[in-house]
Every structure is written in structure tokens, then in C-alpha cells.
Amino acid sequence: MWPYHPDLLRRPVPRYTSYPTAAEFRPVGEDHVLENAVAAIPEGAEISLYLHIPYCNTICHYCACNTGRANRQKRLQAYIDALLAEIRIMGELLTSKHVVKRIAFGGGSPNAISTQEFAHLIAALKDSFHVDRAEISVELDPRDFDGEWAAMLGQSGVTHASMGVQTFSAEVQQVIGRVQPYETIASAMSQLRAHGVQSINFDMMYGLPGQTGQDLSDSLDKTIELRPERIALFGYAHLPQRIARQRRMDTSIMANQLQRFAMSSLGYQTLVRAGYEAIGFDHFALPDDPMAVAARAGEVSRNFQGYTHDPSPWLLGMGATAISLFPDRILQNEKNVGAWRNAVSTGRLTASLGVHRTSRDEAHRQIIEDILCRGEAEIGGLDGAETYAERLASFEQRGLIERDDGHITCTDSATPYLRTIAAIFDPYRHNSKGGFSSAI
Ligand code: SF4
């Protein structure tokens, strides 16, 4: 097991899927701010698109996502119509000066919509953007996956899929409200592979209510047997005060911090022993997967989907809650679906929240990303070097980092502490608690 230092894990810290984090987003005051940012994308830019589908057929008790039941066809249809309209508006603003390299469908569960609706979205993207050689990825709920969906993904040119698996334990699946037998996952995998989806990710979890170290070990053994190209192993965040649906779970068996730490360590060792390469603090990929190749070249970064090998500084988000990234700003669409639909119906792109990244923010963003993605960073250019040295002292004394002339290197034992080390370089966290999750 990694060396355990509970005092260094006490403070909840962000996952840093953006910097500044969403806690720093403020209402966007300027008119046309998103439209202006899209229109300013330079000629020939290689961009990425993200489409958000905030619906699921069955809502899992542990889920912290902003998602609703896909049980009302009229409501779903109205959402898809608004998304089609937003695709058109975004495409008109970009005119002909771009190439789309990546398209990601996330949620919720994109396969909560019908295959016909998915086909309409793909057709609209082809009409509005230059997407001919784009890599397309889709998040999937295996409970709603079937041969019709596999065929649609193959026909649409989807090459990467991510499935919410979380655990193979039947007992834990009952507790968390996500019952999906091993056969369901295995069948979804073979159907995906048969239709040309060759890169598959499993989202797995530790620290779920009712889950023991043995459950996790068994689930990882089954995962290794199925051999997805990528695995993300997340710690479950129990926040029942904020997420009412989590109160429905029996939490009489809940791992404490030491047990969570042991589970995280067990997951890391098991996957690495099985031939996966570790990427940052919670991702793993087989050595010839593009994510592992990019990680070895020092080319992974963080975005709203976690670790990514997407190098584009322009990620345009569509749908309620979707976030768009630009080199100097982050803008988020209205979270409330009704308000987002109303905004789109005016024929305008309207961000409701966002943050403008200053040059100081950019310096801190680079350090935080370097620590989380590459395990090292140049910190010599920051003001207040002595303050940072003091804050790093307890990590240095325990052999978690080494400092050398303005450069820090995280040692192998530092993996579970990477978020905490990164947070030292986040000035917004120095005086605020925020609503973040446990570092492990
Ligand atoms: S399928 Fe995923 S997004 Fe939907 S409720 Fe379950 S965990 Fe949440």
C-alpha cells in the first residue's frame, strides 16, 4: 500500500477538471460573450465539440450528475430540437474556418435517447461543421444498450465508448440502484467491438455504500478479464446533504478514509500488475491506447471529462449545463433545461456562467495541470516562493515530493496526494473551503 498520511488528506480538494474551477464561475455579464468567443476562433483551428444529454432511463441512487428521467417523450423531443437548433447556431458562427477533430457525447446517458434522435444529431453535426475525420466518443449506460444501438454507433463512425460499470458486485449494485449483471457488460462490449468501436472505457468506483475491499478486487478481476482499453477508477463522493437521491442508500457499510485509501491503492496496484499504465491519479490505459501513448509523451491534460489527450484549446459545449473552453475563458450554458431551451429559441448562444482566465490564472493552471498529468512542475516563476516552500514542506519531509531549484517532482508514493499537492498552487483555495470531495 502507498504510505498513508491522513493529515495530508483531511482537506477536501477540487478534481481540477478546469482551472479556475467551477467554484470560481460567476454570472456572465456581457452580451454575446459566447458568440464573440466562438466567432474569434482563428482560421484553420482544430476544435472539439461536446454534446450534453442530461437524461437517463433509470436514475442511480449514488449519481451526482445533473440528470433527469427520460420517461417523457415530449420533454425529450423538445430537448433534442433545442440541441439541433444550437448545433445550427454554433455552426453558422464558425463559418468555414475550422476542422472538428473530436466529438464527445456525454450526460446523463446519451443512449437514453432513441437511435433515430442520435442519427439526427450526427446528421446535423455533419451539416453544420467540418467533421469528416472527427473521432467520435459516446458515454453509454449498458442497461439500455442493445444491437440497434451498437449498429447505430458503428454506422455513425463512433470509435470510442465509455460505459458506467462501477462495480460487478450484485449486492452493491442493489444498494446503489444500478443492477447490471456481468453478462450485460460483456454483451455490450462484444457488440461494440463487432461494430467497430475498438476503444472502450469502464468507469469503476471504490468506496461505494456496501462495498468491501474484496468486492473491489473481484470487480477489478472481472474488468481485467474483459480487457477494456481504458479504466477510470473514481472514489465515490457521499454528499447526502446536497444530493437527496443518495439518502436512499443503506450506508451501514461505508468505508472510512483509511479503507478508501487502501481500496484506491489496491485498485492502482491491481491494474498496473495487469498491464495497464497509470495516468495521473485515477485513469489507466493499455500501453498501445492513444491515451497511454500521449501520457508517455507528456501530452495529456485535464478537461471536464477528466484526463484527455485532446490537445485543442477550443472545446465547444452544446446542451444545458455544457461547458465551452477557450484559451482565455470558460463559459457554461444555463443549467436549467427550460431556461436553456428558452435561450436557444431566441436564436442566440447564451452562456450564463463563466470565468475569464488572467495571465496569473494561466501560470497557476499550467502548474496544477503539470502536477496532475506529469507529476512535476516548474514553480520558480511564481511570486511568493517562500510561502510555497513552507506549504510543500510536509510533503517534502515525507518523501512525496523532491524540490530542486524551482522544480518539483512528485515521487511514486505521491499519487494519492496529487490533488492535495496541486491545491497548494490554487490561490482561490487558500481562503475558501468550497464544496469539494475527499482527496481519496
Ligand atoms: S446512468 Fe450515470 S448519469 Fe445516469 S443516473 Fe446513473 S450514474 Fe447518473
Side-chain angles (χ1 to χ4, degrees):
M1 188 166 103
W2 290 311
Y4 181 52
H5 304 294
D7 55 311
L8 301 183
L9 296 169
R10 200 166 292 139
R11 200 170 144 224
V13 282
R15 300 185 59 78
Y16 291 112
T17 51
S18 74
Y19 186 81
T21 70
E24 277 67 62
F25 292 5
R26 296 289 175 264
V28 173
E30 302 161 57
D31 268 352
H32 306 291
V33 61
L34 179 54
E35 290 169 338
N36 291 344
V38 173
I41 293 176
E43 192 79 30
E46 295 185 343
I47 64 170
S48 301
L49 304 177
Y50 172 79
L51 283 89
H52 192 66
I53 314 283
Y55 295 102
C56 297
N57 280 319
T58 313
I59 305 291
C60 314
H61 305 333
Y62 66 95
C63 177
C65 299
N66 184 10
T67 190
R69 296 261 329 254
N71 55 350
R72 283 165 48 201
Q73 187 49 38
K74 220 169 138 194
R75 185 172 67 165
L76 215 54
Q77 188 57 55
Y79 186 85
I80 300 293
D81 288 346
L83 200 48
L84 291 167
E86 197 175 30
I87 290 170
R88 272 195 304 275
I89 302 167
M90 191 77 90
E92 278 163 18
L93 277 169
L94 272 170
T95 62
S96 62
K97 59 190 179 189
H98 66 277
V99 182
V100 175
K101 299 293 274 189
R102 288 181 170 82
I103 302 171
F105 288 83
S109 302
N111 61 320
I113 64 176
S114 70
T115 50
Q116 291 79 7
E117 287 162 335
F118 186 78
H120 288 155
L121 292 173
I122 293 283
L125 289 168
K126 286 184 176 162
D127 279 353
S128 297
F129 299 93
H130 298 281
V131 297
D132 299 347
R133 285 186 296 279
E135 173 192 302
I136 308 177
S137 64
V138 182
E139 288 175 14
L140 297 171
D141 183 341
R143 295 170 294 181
D144 297 326
F145 193 74
D146 56 16
E148 186 184 331
W149 260 105
M152 173 51 67
L153 297 184
Q155 190 182 315
S156 306
V158 172
T159 52
H160 180 78
S162 180
M163 287 200 282
V165 175
Q166 322 307 356
T167 174
F168 282 104
S169 157
E171 293 76 26
V172 181
Q173 287 186 0
Q174 282 290 347
V175 175
I176 65 172
R178 182 164 197 155
V179 175
Q180 44 186 33
Y182 176 87
E183 293 69 30
T184 303
I185 310 293
S187 148
M189 271 199 93
S190 48
Q191 294 189 78
L192 284 166
R193 296 237 192 267
H195 286 88
V197 181
Q198 289 309 324
S199 174
I200 297 174
N201 174 75
F202 279 13
D203 279 351
M204 303 296 295
M205 277 191 168
Y206 65 85
L208 287 163
Q211 190 183 30
T212 63
Q214 189 58 50
D215 289 330
L216 175 67
S217 179
D218 294 346
S219 290
L220 292 177
D221 287 348
K222 291 193 167 78
T223 299
I224 291 163
E225 214 173 279
L226 291 170
R227 214 75 183 155
E229 281 69 25
R230 295 180 201 170
I231 298 163
L233 178 61
F234 302 116
Y236 164 66
H238 190 57
L239 302 164
Q241 313 82 340
R242 279 197 3 225
I243 303 161
R245 58 175 81 112
Q246 292 186 346
R247 293 179 212 141
R248 298 178 61 184
M249 292 187 288
D250 174 4
T251 52
S252 49
I253 302 176
M254 280 289 274
N256 60 28
Q257 195 198 51
L258 173 58
Q259 290 163 331
R260 286 174 66 95
F261 188 88
M263 284 184 183
S264 174
S265 184
L266 167 85
Y268 185 97
Q269 315 298 344
T270 305
L271 294 174
V272 169
R273 260 200 314 273
Y276 285 88
E277 290 187 7
I279 297 161
F281 57 87
D282 59 9
H283 277 48
F284 302 83
L286 290 175
D288 52 0
D289 183 85
M291 182 81 97
V293 174
R296 287 197 297 275
E299 289 169 358
V300 292
S301 55
R302 301 276 297 161
N303 73 9
F304 293 98
Q305 291 163 294
Y307 285 97
T308 176
H309 59 291
D310 181 356
S312 176
W314 297 281
L315 170 63
L316 304 183
M318 287 168 269
T321 326
I323 292 176
S324 296
L325 303 178
F326 301 91
D328 65 343
R329 65 183 67 210
I330 307 170
L331 295 168
Q332 181 168 31
N333 281 356
E334 177 62 59
K335 290 183 188 172
N336 177 282
V337 170
W340 166 78
R341 275 206 330 258
N342 288 342
V344 173
S345 70
T346 64
R348 299 261 320 272
L349 296 180
T350 49
S352 64
L353 293 173
V355 65
H356 192 281
R357 216 187 264 129
T358 63
S359 54
R360 181 169 182 258
D361 288 332
E362 178 51 28
H364 286 270
R365 185 204 66 76
Q366 188 62 60
I367 290 171
I368 288 170
E369 187 170 281
D370 284 343
I371 291 170
L372 297 178
C373 299
R374 289 167 274 287
E376 59 180 329
E378 278 301 324
I379 60 167
L382 287 182
D383 292 338
E386 281 172 21
T387 316
Y388 287 109
E390 272 168 36
R391 291 187 175 136
L392 290 168
S394 42
F395 295 87
E396 198 175 358
Q397 284 151 12
R398 298 175 213 206
L400 300 175
I401 61 158
E402 288 161 2
R403 275 196 312 131
D404 180 23
D405 196 23
H407 188 92
I408 62 164
T409 306
C410 302
T411 63
D412 289 347
S413 313
T415 303
Y417 305 95
L418 286 178
R419 284 167 62 193
T420 314
I421 296 169
I424 289 175
F425 297 95
D426 177 354
Y428 296 105
R429 299 285 74 75
H430 295 166
N431 298 313
S432 94
K433 290 198 180 73
F436 304 109
S437 58
S438 160
I440 196 74

